[in-house]
Amino acid sequence: MAESDLTCALHFQLAFISPSLFVFLGGLLTILAFRSIRCIYRFILKQMWRKKVKNKDVWRSHKRKQRSVYYVRIFSTQMEMMLSAQTSMGRVLMILVFLLNIGTLVIYFIDLVEAEQFGFSSPDRLIYVDKFCNAFFIFYFGLRFVAADDKLRFWLELNSLVDFFTIPPVFVAALLRKNCFGLRFLRALRLLDLPRILQILRITKDNNSIKLSKLFAVFISTWLTAAGFVHLVENNGDPWVQPVNSQPITYFKCMYLIMVTMSTVGYGDIVVQTALGRAFIFFFIIAGLVLFANLIPEVLEVVQSRKSYKSSYEVVSGKNYIVVCGNVTLKSVTTFLQDFLLQDKGNVCTEILFLGESLPSLELEAVFKCYSPYTTFFYGSALNSEDLKRVRMESANACLILADVCSPEPYTEDISNIMRVLSIKNHYPKTRVILQIIQSRNKAYLPNIPTWDWRMGDSIICFAELKLGFMAQSCLVPGLSTLLTSLFIGKENTETKRKHLKDKMLLGDKDYKVMALQLSNDFADMTFIEVCRLCFVKLNLILLGIELKFGSRGESAILINPSPRIKLHRNTMGFFIAHSLAEVKRAHFYCRVCHSDIQDPEQIEKCQCGSKPHSKTFSEKMKFYGESLVLDGEPAKSRSVSILPPQRFVDGVPHAQEVESKVSLYLTGRFHCCDAVPLHEALLSCKNQAVLYLQDHILVCVFGDANSPLIGLQDFVMPLRATNFLYHELKDIVLLGPLEYLQREWKFIQHFPKLWLFSGSALSCADLKAVNVQGCAACVILSSNTPISNNPALVDTESILATLNVRSMEAKLSSSSLDAVFGARALGNQSEPRYKRIPITTELKFSPNAHFINQAPSSSSDIPEEDLLSSIAAPAGAIFSDSFLNSLLSMTYYNHHILALLQALVTSRTSPALEQLEEEDSRLSRSLDNVVQNPYQVRCKLALLPLSERWLSGVMQDSFGDIYCKALDTFGILCFGLYRLMDEPNPYKNRFVIARPANDLKMLPTDLLFSIVPFNVATTEDL
């Protein structure tokens, strides 16, 4: 022939391509014909059965064919299992076929190089190797064909097409004893199986490596295949053009041309001349541009993310760091960093390692860059031991696990976080873990972890328990949530105080917080009241409670204003309200020998007389108490607040007549309970006579349905049924909501007394009137756990509309009725209209939605404009948002004792160790007397008390310091905050909170005191 070996004639090329087309089209027609025959046979058989033909020969032949089809199906299933990656044989075959394909592709490249450079074909040994490989491909093709369920689909697969156009030409070349390259370049398409082979060999394990291998396989196979096609058509020319318009071009130049085309550079030094080549390039430019434009950024992203977020942390000696994992999102990270900086006052000396299970978004990356000096992101999971090693979990100060409060499946979210705790504790049992969970009932799983130890600082922050506990306490003590937010988090509304506090000098710039520090050992063997009085008078500190240790394993319990029978031990932890740690250290350094004569608290510093003998006791020096002081558990004669009717006590326990016969103490004596009440007995209706007697009750409005996640109303009811209160002090609780939802909650709260259900909605005025919303003591509106929209501004729609609906039912009151409501004569112009505001506490999922509730009045409104300022609702305790609870994570990291104190105040729970001890004691005796006489179980209660005449001197206007001492000396009541009326005009009698008033702040007759009242001091319902 005149042409070179590299440029085959047209009929010679057709001789190699025709067998491939014959096999492909012949097999395709055979499969289609077989399918047609099978469809016709089924149709005929169906028609025969319709005519009820009972020919035995037809029946037997049909049975035989069914039996043969069954065996064929079993055989094909076995073959499919053998060829799959689930068996060792299948994995070996897949890897072997892939390697042989690479081998045939290498032989193709060798043939090209030898033909282009030397002008001769490959040696015989390579031809034999190529024949052997293709013979094995035929065998593997036959196995795949037998195992395929859908033969037509298998015939049109990419790998099958590659076999059709590469295997037959090899055997044709052997018969003709001539070699031609043909379509052998299609073997490059088998490189698409590379990611699967790498996964079988366990070379690629994570998402990034798998994604990178797929991108690499697509790019290389496309590049090599396109270059092979251009090489074929350019070296052979167009079949219909005479003379031949081919050009000699090497395979390497074709690869260069394809790369220049895909990258849109287009130098023009090498161009295609054939019509087929130009048509191919025309379409390939579009596809290659899309491929190249998407491929390069994805590869760079994978490589950069692997380099940036897959590294390991290097521990620096002396540097503290924590690991934050769980719900690592833009919102949670931003909130956490703000709170963490607030706790540390900007002096961050602790590095924060975020372990996220997904790569950060662009916004989150920007946040990490802003806080880059002390934040680092690592891509991984706390469930993976390798990722825990990368962040050096064994050396971390603590691991903080964030929860998604807005998760539509709270149980799944909690279980996921608990599994993270289990993973961390299994590998590093000494690592401290602080966990956020949503539902309180999921807390029961954590003590089952053997290495979970609260003594090491392991802590649980339960959103539902604290949130509902806050809202429950706010029903009895309005404004408490604002006060505790100010003391525990440090977010106090100072502008409101400055606006309404007449003496601005008494406000100062101090920001008081609750702090914990060990008390001086000089306070040992003293009662809490004695220490509390000394700290206030001598050290200018308010002592709230102590951590009392007991047991042989270091168990401890948080006691707030404990019984006088409890004496302080050495090394006792105290909880103070103070401005700074330097002020709290006064109680740590106090020495009754060196500091007894010092009048200025700032001069109290650490002394050097630790070994000096103490000649006098504190009781001999202090003479402030007299006969009213409670000693050895005996109550004083004047033990009840003066404005209240005195109660009957027997050994500090209310008389048996005060407790209903059916009511007992729940479990360990911490809660009032009764026998399980059937749902129909607790269900109220408009026809029920009990509805007519609802007065001074607590109304709880809930939203939900039969499928929505449970709010956990048990956490709301339990603080209101704690044994801190006497039975007659318990208020009726009415739950207003859909009956299908209340039925699901009822099984958890059916043992609590004075609990009622009403099927209805807070969006209906008729239902609100039916439960006497105008006569309730407090109204709580709980947000739905199933948001009706993804828009943050619309997630609280039901709560907002219900709040406005309740407010619309407020009524004007006369001056006499107003005094009955507020318990004191109002100041200012009595001729102005007064309103009875229903005390509403609304839960908001999205705190900025508060402006929908605190709208400015219209021009026609009778309510003065100052009454509805946006800053009023939050200080008045009318709005509660989960954003407050997010701040507890950082606070707990710095001091887990503060979280224990907050839980004791809000939820009426004790420490885990004491609860376990109480459960053991309850097995021996469950009587009321034994429970209350135990000094560890006698707990105080929070109250909002008006000024008593016994507390006032009557000579001059008393200050907060005078009232504090008199309340402590006379009743053992501990005052720590003030609830003061705003200036007139104030028709709704709104108040604002003053946390830790100054000692010389003058008291007003209308002031209310946030107080911690001992158990056996009676309170009445009109406080």
Side-chain angles (χ1 to χ4, degrees):
M1 296 179 63
E3 294 82 357
S4 64
D5 292 338
L6 188 63
T7 307
C8 300
L10 176 60
H11 66 276
F12 187 66
Q13 289 290 344
L14 292 176
F16 283 91
I17 298 177
S18 298
S20 299
L21 294 175
F22 176 78
V23 173
F24 171 68
L25 296 177
L28 182 61
L29 293 176
T30 302
I31 293 174
L32 293 176
F34 179 79
R35 284 198 169 189
S36 301
I37 294 173
R38 187 173 59 181
C39 292
I40 295 173
Y41 173 77
R42 288 180 178 176
F43 177 77
I44 295 175
L45 191 63
K46 186 183 296 184
Q47 295 297 325
M48 294 175 64
W49 283 113
R50 284 184 178 179
K51 294 179 181 180
K52 298 182 180 180
V53 176
K54 299 182 180 180
N55 191 333
K56 296 183 179 180
D57 296 334
V58 175
W59 171 257
R60 290 172 182 172
S61 62
H62 175 66
K63 281 295 183 180
R64 285 196 299 267
K65 289 182 179 180
Q66 277 191 334
R67 198 176 297 116
S68 61
V69 170
Y70 172 74
Y71 290 132
V72 170
R73 180 73 64 182
I74 291 179
F75 178 73
S76 62
T77 303
Q78 294 295 331
M79 292 296 296
E80 185 179 3
M81 290 296 298
M82 185 184 70
L83 296 177
S84 66
Q86 299 178 0
T87 61
S88 300
M89 178 64 71
R91 290 192 291 267
V92 170
L93 286 175
M94 292 175 64
I95 296 173
L96 182 59
V97 169
F98 179 79
L99 294 178
L100 292 179
N101 272 281
I102 299 299
T104 56
L105 188 61
V106 171
I107 294 175
Y108 168 72
F109 291 146
I110 293 174
D111 289 345
L112 282 176
V113 173
E114 291 177 345
E116 292 169 352
Q117 295 183 0
F118 306 106
F120 58 85
S121 301
S122 58
D124 293 339
R125 61 179 181 272
L126 290 182
I127 295 177
Y128 290 136
V129 172
D130 196 15
K131 291 180 181 178
F132 170 77
C133 293
N134 283 273
F136 185 81
F137 294 154
I138 295 176
F139 169 72
Y140 187 67
F141 179 87
L143 295 178
R144 291 169 50 230
F145 180 78
V146 173
D149 292 330
D150 190 346
K151 308 299 182 184
L152 180 61
R153 185 175 182 180
F154 165 79
W155 203 260
L156 298 176
E157 284 182 353
L158 179 61
N159 289 339
S160 299
L161 295 176
V162 172
D163 290 336
F164 293 145
F165 290 97
T166 56
I167 295 177
V170 173
F171 295 97
V172 173
L175 293 175
L176 299 177
R177 296 184 180 180
K178 290 184 178 290
N179 189 18
C180 186
F181 301 107
L183 300 177
R184 291 166 58 188
F185 61 86
L186 292 178
R187 284 290 170 190
L189 294 175
R190 296 302 295 262
L191 289 173
L192 295 173
D193 294 334
L194 178 63
R196 184 170 55 175
I197 300 300
L198 295 178
Q199 285 184 272
I200 292 175
L201 297 175
R202 302 295 179 88
I203 297 176
T204 56
K205 298 180 180 179
D206 58 345
N207 293 333
N208 283 340
S209 59
I210 295 174
K211 183 178 180 180
L212 191 61
S213 64
K214 288 183 178 180
L215 295 175
F216 175 79
V218 170
F219 177 75
I220 295 298
S221 61
T222 304
W223 185 23
L224 296 180
T225 305
F229 183 83
V230 172
H231 179 270
L232 176 66
V233 297
E234 288 301 307
N235 281 279
N236 290 277
D238 296 321
W240 59 86
V241 176
Q242 293 295 335
V244 178
N245 59 345
S246 62
Q247 62 170 332
I249 182 173
T250 64
Y251 187 83
F252 175 77
K253 290 183 179 180
C254 293
M255 292 178 61
Y256 170 77
L257 174 63
I258 293 299
M259 180 59 70
V260 170
T261 303
M262 281 196 301
S263 61
T264 68
V265 176
Y267 285 119
D269 52 345
I270 300 177
V271 294
V272 293
Q273 295 181 0
T274 62
L276 287 176
R278 291 176 179 176
F280 173 78
I281 291 297
F282 176 79
F283 291 102
F284 183 77
I285 286 176
I286 301 175
L289 179 61
V290 175
L291 175 65
F292 200 85
N294 292 331
L295 185 69
I296 299 302
E298 289 187 13
V299 172
L300 292 177
E301 181 182 356
V302 171
V303 173
Q304 289 179 356
S305 64
R306 184 179 182 88
K307 181 179 179 181
S308 303
Y309 305 131
K310 279 293 186 178
S311 58
S312 298
Y313 180 72
E314 296 182 2
V315 179
V316 179
S317 179
K319 188 174 184 179
N320 298 327
Y321 69 93
I322 61 175
V323 179
V324 180
C325 60
N327 180 44
V328 180
T329 60
L330 176 63
K331 181 180 178 181
S332 63
V333 169
T334 304
T335 304
F336 173 78
L337 289 176
Q338 291 175 351
D339 295 328
F340 195 86
L341 294 178
L342 179 65
Q343 292 290 332
D344 219 12
K345 298 299 183 182
N347 300 321
V348 179
C349 57
T350 302
E351 189 170 0
I352 308 170
L353 310 183
F354 288 94
L355 183 62
E357 298 181 3
S358 59
L359 293 175
S361 61
L362 295 178
E363 296 86 353
L364 188 54
E365 283 185 343
V367 172
F368 289 137
K369 290 179 180 178
C370 292
Y371 297 97
S372 58
Y374 38 82
T375 61
T376 308
F377 180 83
F378 293 89
Y379 178 58
S381 172
L383 301 175
N384 191 334
S385 60
E386 296 297 328
D387 294 331
L388 295 179
K389 290 180 181 179
R390 288 174 42 234
V391 296
R392 302 292 187 268
M393 186 65 73
E394 71 278 3
S395 303
N397 291 56
C399 179
L400 282 59
I401 303 179
L402 304 177
D404 183 10
V405 186
C406 301
S407 174
E409 298 180 356
Y411 177 78
T412 304
E413 179 71 13
D414 286 347
I415 294 302
S416 300
N417 283 339
I418 292 173
M419 291 303 297
R420 293 185 179 99
V421 176
L422 183 59
S423 175
I424 295 170
K425 286 294 186 179
N426 282 347
H427 294 93
Y428 308 103
K430 294 184 179 180
T431 299
R432 178 188 175 195
V433 177
I434 303 174
L435 169 69
Q436 288 182 340
I437 63 173
I438 303 174
Q439 297 177 328
S440 61
R441 66 174 183 268
N442 296 327
K443 291 170 57 177
Y445 298 111
L446 290 165
N448 298 332
I449 301 176
T451 53
W452 178 269
D453 190 357
W454 57 267
R455 289 168 295 183
M456 294 175 55
D458 295 338
S459 303
I460 307 171
I461 302 175
C462 179
F463 283 98
E465 182 181 67
L466 291 172
K467 174 185 67 178
L468 297 177
F470 265 103
M471 302 184 77
Q473 295 288 1
S474 297
C475 295
L476 304 177
V477 186
L480 179 67
S481 59
T482 303
L483 177 63
L484 295 183
T485 303
S486 172
L487 292 177
F488 284 87
I489 306 300
K491 298 179 180 178
E492 187 174 7
N493 196 325
T494 309
E495 289 188 11
T496 305
K497 292 199 301 183
R498 290 185 182 277
K499 179 179 179 181
H500 297 279
L501 195 61
K502 296 181 179 180
D503 193 352
K504 303 297 189 297
M505 297 299 295
L506 297 177
L507 180 62
D509 296 325
K510 291 189 175 182
D511 184 15
Y512 288 97
K513 293 181 63 176
V514 174
M515 300 182 182
L517 195 66
Q518 183 176 309
L519 288 165
S520 170
N521 289 331
D522 280 23
F523 294 129
D525 297 327
M526 296 169 55
T527 65
F528 178 81
I529 294 181
E530 293 173 342
V531 178
C532 198
R533 176 65 185 265
L534 187 147
C535 289
F536 184 82
V537 176
K538 194 78 176 177
L539 309 180
N540 196 24
L541 296 172
I542 290 183
L543 179 64
L544 291 178
I546 58 174
E547 182 190 39
L548 193 65
K549 295 184 178 181
F550 59 92
S552 58
R553 295 180 295 177
E555 297 89 343
S556 63
I558 303 296
L559 301 180
I560 304 171
N561 195 5
S563 168
R565 286 184 289 173
I566 297 179
K567 305 291 184 179
L568 270 68
H569 305 317
R570 297 175 64 87
N571 302 322
T572 298
M573 179 76 70
F575 298 94
F576 302 90
I577 299 179
H579 171 61
S580 63
L581 185 62
E583 294 181 356
V584 179
K585 287 184 178 180
R586 300 170 190 169
H588 179 67
F589 295 143
Y590 179 77
C591 174
R592 61 172 175 248
V593 175
C594 303
H595 301 146
S596 58
D597 299 329
I598 296 179
Q599 301 298 325
D600 187 5
E602 296 183 358
Q603 297 181 2
I604 297 179
E605 299 177 351
K606 186 176 181 179
C607 62
Q608 304 296 331
C609 63
S611 59
K612 294 181 180 179
H614 299 160
S615 57
K616 295 183 179 181
T617 63
F618 175 81
S619 300
E620 294 174 350
K621 290 185 176 182
M622 305 294 290
K623 302 296 182 183
F624 296 107
Y625 296 98
E627 295 181 354
S628 63
L629 183 63
V630 179
L631 297 175
D632 299 328
E634 293 293 335
K637 295 180 181 179
S638 177
R639 194 58 176 165
S640 58
V641 182
S642 59
I643 63 171
L644 308 178
Q647 303 295 328
R648 300 174 61 187
F649 291 90
V650 179
D651 295 332
V653 182
H655 196 271
Q657 294 179 354
E658 298 292 334
V659 183
E660 296 288 340
S661 59
K662 292 185 179 180
V663 177
S664 60
L665 296 180
Y666 181 58
L667 292 180
T668 59
R670 294 182 286 115
F671 302 100
H672 292 278
C673 87
C674 59
D675 296 334
V677 179
L679 179 67
H680 67 274
E681 293 185 8
L683 188 62
L684 301 177
S685 63
C686 297
K687 300 179 181 180
N688 198 318
Q689 294 295 325
V691 178
L692 303 176
Y693 299 99
L694 285 178
Q695 190 71 30
D696 199 31
H697 56 287
I698 296 175
L699 177 62
V700 184
C701 304
V702 298
F703 300 95
D705 52 38
N707 299 320
S708 60
L710 295 179
I711 298 174
L713 293 177
Q714 181 184 13
D715 296 319
F716 180 86
V717 175
M718 290 174 70
L720 299 177
R721 293 296 177 262
T723 52
N724 313 28
F725 305 98
L726 305 179
Y727 180 78
H728 76 275
E729 295 177 320
L730 303 180
K731 294 181 180 293
D732 289 300
I733 302 176
V734 180
L735 303 177
L736 174 63
L739 183 59
E740 60 269 17
Y741 176 81
L742 295 178
Q743 285 177 337
R744 298 167 57 204
E745 291 272 12
W746 182 249
K747 62 182 179 180
F748 299 105
I749 56 178
Q750 59 184 344
H751 290 278
F752 294 106
K754 299 186 178 182
L755 209 58
W756 309 96
L757 306 178
F758 191 92
S759 178
S761 174
L763 301 177
S764 170
C765 293
D767 292 337
L768 292 175
K769 290 180 180 179
V771 294
N772 191 19
V773 66
Q774 294 178 327
C776 68
C779 178
V780 176
I781 300 176
L782 300 178
S783 181
S784 173
N785 275 352
T786 307
I788 62 176
S789 173
N790 294 327
N791 188 350
L794 300 178
V795 296
D796 298 310
T797 301
E798 292 177 324
S799 301
I800 295 171
L801 295 179
T803 302
L804 299 178
N805 199 28
V806 174
R807 282 189 179 178
S808 66
M809 305 187 69
E810 294 170 349
K812 290 185 180 181
L813 296 177
S814 62
S815 178
S816 59
S817 60
L818 182 70
D819 297 338
V821 171
F822 294 105
R825 293 294 299 177
L827 301 178
N829 187 4
Q830 298 296 325
S831 62
E832 294 182 358
R834 302 291 175 180
Y835 304 87
K836 179 190 175 182
R837 166 155 282 183
I838 301 172
I840 308 174
T841 302
T842 304
E843 177 196 1
L844 296 180
K845 297 291 185 183
F846 188 58
S847 55
N849 287 337
H851 74 277
F852 291 111
I853 297 177
N854 304 318
Q855 294 178 354
S858 61
S859 57
S860 61
S861 175
D862 296 333
I863 305 174
E865 189 170 330
E866 292 81 3
D867 183 49
L868 292 180
L869 292 174
S870 60
S871 61
I872 291 178
I879 295 174
F880 188 88
S881 176
D882 292 336
S883 58
F884 161 69
L885 301 178
N886 292 326
S887 305
L888 297 179
L889 193 64
S890 302
M891 181 195 71
T892 306
Y893 165 71
Y894 287 104
N895 195 331
H896 66 278
H897 298 91
I898 302 297
L899 176 65
L901 175 67
L902 181 63
Q903 290 173 334
L905 280 171
V906 173
T907 66
S908 300
R909 294 180 181 270
T910 54
S911 67
L914 187 55
E915 290 183 5
Q916 184 178 2
L917 180 63
E918 289 175 348
E919 290 179 4
E920 294 176 357
D921 293 342
S922 65
R923 297 171 186 173
L924 302 177
S925 176
R926 302 180 67 89
S927 66
L928 180 64
D929 293 339
N930 290 335
V931 170
V932 178
Q933 286 179 353
N934 186 345
Y936 297 100
Q937 294 176 323
V938 174
R939 293 166 293 150
C940 62
K941 51 192 171 186
L942 295 170
L944 190 61
L945 302 178
L947 291 179
S948 169
E949 295 180 358
R950 292 176 178 263
W951 299 358
L952 303 174
S953 61
V955 179
M956 61 181 65
Q957 194 173 15
D958 293 85
S959 65
F960 174 77
D962 300 331
I963 299 298
Y964 178 92
C965 294
K966 291 177 182 177
L968 187 65
D969 296 346
T970 309
F971 306 105
I973 295 177
L974 184 60
C975 305
F976 62 100
L978 196 63
Y979 206 33
R980 176 163 290 188
L981 280 173
M982 294 181 179
D983 295 337
E984 294 293 336
N986 186 17
Y988 281 133
K989 314 305 293 179
N990 285 322
R991 296 176 179 266
F992 64 97
V993 172
I994 304 178
R996 176 56 174 101
N999 292 356
D1000 50 354
L1001 176 66
K1002 300 301 180 182
M1003 304 296 291
L1004 301 178
T1006 56
D1007 286 341
L1008 300 178
L1009 292 166
F1010 291 101
S1011 307
I1012 302 176
V1013 182
F1015 169 81
N1016 54 351
V1017 174
T1019 58
T1020 57
E1021 299 177 351
D1022 58 350
L1023 287 179

